[in-house]
Structure formats: structure tokens, C-alpha cells
Amino acid sequence: FNVFIQKNDPIPTPMDKRIIQTFETGLPNQRTISIPVFGGEHLEAASKNEKQGKAFAILPPNCPEGLPIRVKLWLDEDENFDLTVYLDDGTDLNPWILRGGADQRAEEILQESENAIMQKELFFKPEQRKQVELLRENVFNSLKRKQVEEAVKDANKLIKYLDDIKTIEKFSI
């Protein structure tokens, strides 16, 4: 657990109390970062804290493993979490907090499509990899615009394409 907001910090969190935590990509070409956000006083027994959502951001293509990602999270005047997420070069990753509902569905479809890619990635031919990346970017762009229904459609197209690759590979062996 990383603590961003201390127990007695004022609300809204003052600029000088907004802590920057550094995380790193765990895989080469990792495309998303998702950090669970909890609110509560039980640092030692974290399971007693209430989950507030997830900090979520889409990373640029071709990020190396171990790329530092800076995250700053604070409470605004309405006691809602807000955040910035950026790379060392200052690139803003335009993050948002997934709080359930449509946000939760967006995260689920993104996870489904990423899992499908990981399962089949070793079998991609160059032209297939290019098409997968194009379809994946469509999902990311829809999510960035917070158009969840469009992202679901895009993810379904991606998953169908991946299933088609699997079918073609099965019959060409």
C-alpha cells in the first residue's frame, strides 16, 4: 500500500500535501495502469478499508518494462479523489478513477481484450500484429473519450479478430 493522503490532511488536499508516488510498468509494451484506491484509517488491516475505485490510465505504445509512472492522488473540495498520472518526460496520461457502473464495464472489456491478446500474441504474423494494434487502439481511444458502449463494440471486434486468428491457425497446422 502507498499512502497518498494522511489521516489529518485538510480537505481539499493542499498542493504541498499532494504526494507523488512512482510505479513502474511490469511488462514490455504494457498499455494500461490500474491502481486500486482505498479510503480508510486501517493501514495495518487494509481489508477493513473501503474501496473507492481504481486509478486508471492508458500508456503509449511500446513502453519498456520498468518505465517510471508518476501518480499524484488527492481529495478535492467535494471529498472525491482526483489524480494526475504522467511519465518522466511530462507526458500526461489523462487518467480517471473507475468508480463502478459503466466505468467497471469499461475496465472489464479492456481486461478481456488484453487477456485475449496475451493468450495469442506469440502466434501473430506481422500483418496480424498490425491489425491487432489498430483494433486495440480503437478500444483505447473510445475509453479515453469515455464512450463505453463504443469501447465495448471495439473490444468485441478485437476479440472476434483474435478468435478468427485462432481458428485460422488451428486449420493451417
Side-chain angles (χ1 to χ4, degrees):
F1 276 91
N2 294 12
V3 177
F4 285 91
I5 302 163
Q6 300 294 322
K7 182 177 181 178
N8 293 319
D9 282 352
I11 299 172
T13 308
M15 288 294 203
D16 65 336
K17 297 268 187 186
R18 296 181 184 182
I19 299 169
I20 299 170
Q21 300 279 353
T22 302
F23 298 87
E24 293 182 349
T25 53
L27 302 167
N29 200 26
Q30 181 176 329
R31 292 305 311 276
T32 62
I33 182 170
S34 178
I35 304 166
V37 178
F38 291 87
E41 299 179 7
H42 304 284
L43 187 57
E44 299 80 27
S47 62
K48 294 180 183 177
N49 291 329
E50 183 179 341
K51 187 171 182 182
Q52 303 294 315
K54 284 187 180 183
F56 180 81
I58 297 171
L59 302 171
N62 303 316
C63 289
E65 181 177 347
L67 178 73
I69 300 166
R70 312 284 184 220
V71 177
K72 188 189 303 184
L73 186 123
W74 65 91
L75 288 172
D76 66 15
E77 58 277 350
D78 297 321
E79 298 186 31
N80 293 316
F81 287 103
D82 204 351
L83 75 156
T84 58
V85 179
Y86 55 94
L87 302 178
D88 273 349
D89 66 3
T91 302
D92 183 359
L93 298 177
N94 301 310
W96 67 93
I97 301 280
L98 300 171
R99 291 189 168 91
D103 283 343
Q104 183 65 34
R105 182 63 188 134
E107 183 182 17
E108 288 168 4
I109 60 111
L110 183 62
Q111 191 61 50
E112 287 171 24
S113 61
E114 291 299 299
N115 287 343
I117 290 170
M118 287 174 50
Q119 290 173 5
K120 298 169 183 75
E121 193 167 24
L122 296 175
F123 303 106
F124 293 162
K125 296 175 180 162
E127 67 275 5
Q128 293 169 330
R129 182 171 304 284
K130 187 181 278 189
Q131 183 64 23
V132 166
E133 285 304 316
L134 177 67
L135 292 167
R136 184 191 228 184
E137 283 304 313
N138 290 343
V139 174
F140 291 147
N141 290 333
S142 294
L143 288 173
K144 286 178 189 176
R145 293 188 308 270
K146 300 193 178 179
Q147 296 174 331
V148 176
E149 290 307 313
E150 191 66 29
V152 170
K153 288 178 189 173
D154 293 336
N156 286 333
K157 288 177 191 173
L158 173 58
I159 291 168
K160 182 181 180 330
Y161 181 76
L162 293 167
D163 287 343
D164 290 348
I165 289 173
K166 185 177 178 181
T167 301
I168 291 168
E169 294 299 320
K170 186 190 296 184
F171 289 113
S172 64
I173 293 177

